């Protein structure tokens, strides 16, 4: 099986760093690029600091998944790219307004979107994993697997994943 090519938005933040470390250990996923407000030189994949040029990145053509752990003001731009390029998107950004959540649900009619502010919930409830700092990243990858396995447009949440018996 080929690895899933991922672009991580907010890769330099605390959650983004944990997620990128977990992806590096994964047999299923690979980060092909990251986005953040500055390039800190933490990774061996390209980090972009201007989302305005993102649609022109060559790797967008072979990206399988966006994972967004950035900030609410960037999430709307991630949604625009996701719908334009029909890239499934996992959103773990906190602090989203009701207006933005409505936009996410509208965007889910054009591409599949999984949104949860607590990715560790899945791991605590379906996996026998001891507590650690990376529970959220492990949960995010479980959510990503679910999102990609569904193979359809729509809005998905942790409740959908927990109800799906394949993830027991």
């Amino acid at each position: 099986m080929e690895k899933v090519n991922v672009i991580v938005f907010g890769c330099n933040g605390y959650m983004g760093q944990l997620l990128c470390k977990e992806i590096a250990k994964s047999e299923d996923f690979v980060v092909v690029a990251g986005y953040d407000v500055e390039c800190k030189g933490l990774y061996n994949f390209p980090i972009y600091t201007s989302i305005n040029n993102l649609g022109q990145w060559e790797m967008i053509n072979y990206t399988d998944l966006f994972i967004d752990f950035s900030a609410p003001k960037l999430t709307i731009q991630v949604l625009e790219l996701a719908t334009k390029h029909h890239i499934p998107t996992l959103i773990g950004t906190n602090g989203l307004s009701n207006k933005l959540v409505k936009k996410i649900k509208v965007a889910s009619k054009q591409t599949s979107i999984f949104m949860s502010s607590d990715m560790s919930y899945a791991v605590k409830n379906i996996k026998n994993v001891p507590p650690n700092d990376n529970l959220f990243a492990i949960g995010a990858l479980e959510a990503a697997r679910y999102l990609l396995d569904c193979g359809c447009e729509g809005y998905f949440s942790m409740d959908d994943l927990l109800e799906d018996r394949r993830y027991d």
Side-chain angles (χ1 to χ4, degrees):
M1 178 175 125
E2 287 189 39
K3 288 192 173 196
V4 174
N5 294 324
V6 179
I7 295 179
V8 177
F9 295 85
C11 60
N12 288 335
Y14 178 73
M15 300 296 207
Q17 288 181 41
L18 290 175
L19 179 64
C20 288
K21 286 178 188 175
E22 196 63 35
I23 290 174
K25 296 187 292 186
S26 170
E27 295 180 9
D28 302 328
F29 299 90
V30 62
V31 178
V32 295
Y35 169 86
D36 217 303
V37 293
E38 63 180 307
C39 183
K40 295 184 177 181
L42 299 173
Y43 308 107
N44 61 358
F45 53 81
I47 306 295
Y48 293 87
T49 57
S50 173
I51 198 162
N52 295 330
N53 297 328
L54 180 65
Q56 299 169 4
W57 299 350
E58 183 180 321
M59 80 270 311
I60 200 112
N61 296 321
Y62 59 89
T63 297
D64 303 307
L65 178 69
F66 287 161
I67 299 180
D68 180 24
F69 278 96
S70 61
K73 66 182 180 180
L74 180 65
T75 297
I76 191 68
Q77 294 173 300
V78 173
L79 284 175
E80 290 169 3
L81 284 170
T83 56
K84 179 179 179 184
H85 296 281
H86 303 284
I87 297 174
T89 302
L90 183 134
I91 300 171
T93 302
N94 290 315
L96 302 177
S97 68
N98 289 337
K99 183 178 178 181
L100 185 50
V101 170
K102 286 179 186 174
K103 287 183 180 184
I104 291 168
K105 289 181 178 179
V106 168
S108 73
K109 294 176 182 171
Q110 297 175 39
T111 191
S112 52
I113 297 175
F114 188 106
M115 189 175 84
S116 176
S117 60
D118 184 4
M119 295 292 174
S120 65
Y121 187 72
V123 178
K124 289 185 251 183
N125 286 282
I126 63 176
K127 297 282 184 187
N128 193 9
V129 177
N132 65 64
D133 286 344
N134 238 11
L135 276 183
F136 108 89
I138 295 167
L141 294 182
E142 285 299 313
R145 286 180 188 96
Y146 175 82
L147 181 65
L148 295 169
D149 285 350
C150 81
C152 60
E153 285 80 26
Y155 175 83
F156 304 95
S157 69
M158 202 54 73
D159 289 337
D160 297 308
L161 188 150
L162 292 172
E163 288 176 14
D164 191 323
R165 293 296 170 214
R166 290 177 294 171
Y167 295 88
D168 282 345

